[in-house]
Amino acid sequence: MTDHPRETDFRTWVLEHRTRLRTTAFLLCGDWYLADDLVQDALGRLYSRWGRVVAAGDPRAYVRRILCNLHADYRRRPARREISEADVTTLSSHPHTSMQERDDDLIAALLTVPVGQRTVLVLRFFEDLSVEQTAALLKTSAGNVKSQTSRGLEALRSALLTQPSETTRPAKTEGRAS
């Protein structure tokens, strides 16, 4: 039995974009397991509206919006909040190159930035959205996006400057591979 063209198109799109969506979700929430859940929920919602979303334009913009909304909804539910003590540096089981260590340091610092500012930074610099696109996605003003970007970058700089040095950092342990 052959797939319906809509389903084939959706599967092709998901295969092309799921890794980036998962990374975006992780950068928003800081937890790979929650990121997987957010992406799965977002793709389920996207699938139910696939025809309309494709006809309207860019599915990535639509699913980005869903991810941001799902993450915000998750954070608002007190019963679902968990405090994760996993360190971002324990999420990989392979030896790190210096480039990977810098990436780990950047992600660890990013996760200390307040969530609203982190969301803006992820959309602006990882998803490469303009100020106007970010404002439209978050349903806020361009001025708010600019101020959140400025504050977020300052918080990120501060976190990077206060991270322990390579000699004082604890040894990396095995963890979940991403």
Side-chain angles (χ1 to χ4, degrees):
M1 187 162 115
T2 62
D3 288 336
H4 189 275
R6 172 187 142 164
E7 188 169 324
T8 302
D9 290 346
F10 179 76
R11 284 182 185 195
T12 302
W13 188 89
V14 168
L15 287 172
E16 183 179 337
H17 294 92
R18 70 179 169 193
T19 301
R20 181 140 180 128
L21 293 173
R22 184 173 183 255
T23 304
T24 298
F26 172 75
L27 292 174
L28 290 172
C29 70
D31 180 315
W32 284 113
Y33 297 105
L34 178 56
D36 289 338
D37 290 346
L38 294 174
V39 170
Q40 182 177 351
D41 289 350
L43 292 175
R45 292 179 186 198
L46 176 63
Y47 181 74
S48 68
R49 296 168 184 87
W50 181 249
R52 286 180 282 176
V53 171
V54 169
D58 181 16
R60 270 193 63 200
Y62 184 80
V63 81
R64 251 189 243 116
R65 174 105 177 120
I66 294 171
L67 280 175
C68 288
N69 289 343
L70 287 170
H71 180 243
D73 289 348
Y74 177 82
R75 286 184 36 254
R76 287 186 198 116
R77 293 187 200 138
R80 293 197 55 188
R81 289 186 196 139
E82 296 177 18
I83 298 173
S84 174
E85 294 187 21
D87 181 61
V88 76
T89 60
T90 66
L91 295 177
S92 179
S93 61
H94 55 79
H96 294 290
T97 65
S98 61
M99 177 74 94
Q100 289 167 322
E101 287 174 356
R102 282 183 290 200
D103 289 349
D104 288 348
D105 290 345
L106 181 60
I107 291 169
L110 180 64
L111 294 177
T112 68
V113 174
V115 175
Q117 295 170 9
R118 181 170 66 229
T119 300
V120 170
L121 293 178
V122 170
L123 294 173
R124 292 274 292 117
F125 302 109
F126 181 73
E127 287 293 327
D128 201 28
L129 299 181
S130 68
V131 169
E132 293 75 19
Q133 290 169 318
T134 303
L137 189 144
L138 297 176
K139 294 184 178 178
T140 190
S141 69
N144 186 42
V145 169
K146 290 176 184 178
S147 68
Q148 291 294 308
T149 300
S150 176
R151 290 181 187 137
L153 288 173
E154 184 57 38
L156 185 60
R157 279 186 206 101
S158 176
L160 286 168
L161 291 174
T162 60
Q163 284 184 341
S165 70
E166 206 51 49
T167 57
T168 62
R169 186 177 302 150
K172 293 181 179 166
T173 60
E174 280 196 35
R176 178 176 182 221
S178 51

